[in-house]
Amino acid sequence: MSDPMRPPASHRPHPASLRSDPSRPRAALRTAVVWEVLQDALDRRVKATGRESLDVLDTGGGSGNFAVPVARLGHRVTVVDPSPNALFALERRAAEAGVADRVQGVQGDAHGLFDVVERGGYDAVLCHGVLEYVDDPAEGVRNAVAALRSEGVLSLLAAGLGGAVLARALAGHFTEARQALTDPDGRWGEGDPVPHRFTAEQLTDLVEGAGLRVGAVHGVRVFADLVPGVLVDTEPGALEALLKLEEAAAELPAFHSVATQLHVLGETRGADGA
Ligand SMILES: C[S@@+](CC[C@H](N)C(=O)[O-])C[C@H]1O[C@@H](n2cnc3c(N)ncnc32)[C@H](O)[C@@H]1O
């Protein structure tokens, strides 16, 4: 049944309008590439299912950086997160965006996912910035995939190893850069707040190991974290030009190895997006 709250496709926010949101330019810089890939994937699911409103699970969805915009597209989003503070912020953010009726926050974690949500109940599962923190990333991906219906898409975003090495080196922390390069978890030292980083190959192996095929891989924040803020904030048109550069580099495998984050779109074998 069509959802009267869902705007027709032609009226949905285009990534370009999200990119140029003047109130959150830096945030847009961090999310634009992922958002564009995700929105296309959801649009393909809408066409394939014939349902305007999809069921989306955002595992480790936090305060709703993606869940709320996805709900604004007209989809129903369940956010599972262990943090009560994040869920509280999510509730407030969803209310402010006028989508409280389409966003449900549930306390839980990737490990015990099916204690709190239905197995095989979702058209799309988001797992963004979470795999870094779970004890067993392979189990995290397997659970995310098991939450999908027989046809569905997984949007997986995780910290990239090479981006961290490059960032430490450019900041003059050469020993830490080398440590990250050789550490099995890609950590640069005891003070590193990120428990695991991944190469594109490790992430695609996890996705394929869980039974999906890889639809696309994108490098995220290839340049954005390395460019001095003053160049972006003061030069007219610089932010838009940087966004276009990020977009152009995102799909090129050569840049995957230096991206701050990597995004992998996984698709069930039947979900060809046609
Ligand atoms: C970096 S934030 C990302 C939030 C959101 N996905 C986004 O992209 O903005 C990481 C989130 O993962 C959650 N988290 C940490 N450990 C988790 C686990 N074992 N299972 C599920 N979520 C977890 C945290 O509470 C936090 O909200």
Side-chain angles (χ1 to χ4, degrees):
M1 194 171 70
S2 75
D3 180 347
M5 295 298 288
R6 180 180 168 81
S10 56
H11 296 160
R12 274 181 240 150
H14 184 271
S17 63
L18 189 102
R19 285 201 301 261
S20 58
D21 177 354
S23 65
R24 307 182 67 224
R26 283 303 190 135
L29 191 55
R30 288 196 297 274
T31 56
V33 167
V34 178
W35 178 247
E36 194 155 340
V37 176
L38 178 61
Q39 201 174 8
D40 279 354
L42 294 174
D43 280 349
R44 287 200 301 274
R45 282 286 80 217
V46 164
K47 282 201 190 97
T49 59
R51 282 183 281 115
E52 285 280 290
S53 212
L54 301 174
D55 293 305
V56 178
L57 174 67
D58 190 352
T59 167
S63 60
N65 280 338
F66 285 90
V68 169
V70 167
R72 289 183 67 195
L73 297 177
H75 305 303
R76 291 176 292 272
V77 189
T78 302
V79 172
V80 174
D81 200 284
S83 160
N85 286 345
L87 292 173
F88 179 72
L90 167 74
E91 197 178 320
R92 200 177 46 197
R93 201 172 190 176
E96 281 168 9
V99 293
D101 57 333
R102 289 202 293 276
V103 176
Q104 187 197 9
V106 183
Q107 196 171 4
D109 70 12
H111 171 68
L113 192 60
F114 301 113
D115 294 342
V116 291
V117 301
E118 189 190 346
R119 194 180 281 270
Y122 297 89
D123 301 294
V125 175
L126 278 52
C127 183
H128 289 178
V130 181
L131 226 50
E132 297 89 327
Y133 302 98
V134 301
D135 292 336
D136 182 349
E139 184 202 39
V141 175
R142 277 198 307 274
N143 280 353
V145 171
L148 288 172
R149 294 196 163 120
S150 57
E151 292 191 3
V153 290
L154 169 71
S155 175
L156 180 65
L157 178 70
L161 169 67
V165 173
L166 194 61
R168 294 320 282 173
L170 291 184
H173 304 298
F174 308 122
T175 305
E176 289 178 355
R178 189 161 55 83
Q179 169 72 21
L181 199 56
T182 52
D183 183 74
D185 291 318
R187 304 185 72 216
W188 47 254
E190 285 301 310
D192 189 340
V194 178
H196 300 282
R197 291 190 182 84
F198 303 87
T199 62
E201 192 185 12
Q202 286 170 332
L203 291 178
T204 56
D205 282 353
L206 287 174
V207 167
E208 287 173 346
L212 298 188
R213 70 182 174 82
V214 171
V217 180
H218 287 85
V220 179
R221 292 157 58 189
V222 173
F223 309 101
D225 297 349
L226 303 175
V227 176
V230 65
L231 294 182
V232 183
D233 296 336
T234 56
E235 288 289 320
L239 179 66
E240 193 62 25
L242 179 53
L243 278 162
K244 285 187 181 147
L245 176 64
E246 288 282 353
E247 232 170 50
E251 283 191 58
L252 302 178
F255 289 96
H256 294 167
S257 51
V258 291
T260 302
Q261 291 176 303
L262 294 159
H263 182 258
V264 178
L265 191 73
E267 296 172 332
T268 55
R269 305 262 163 205
D272 59 6

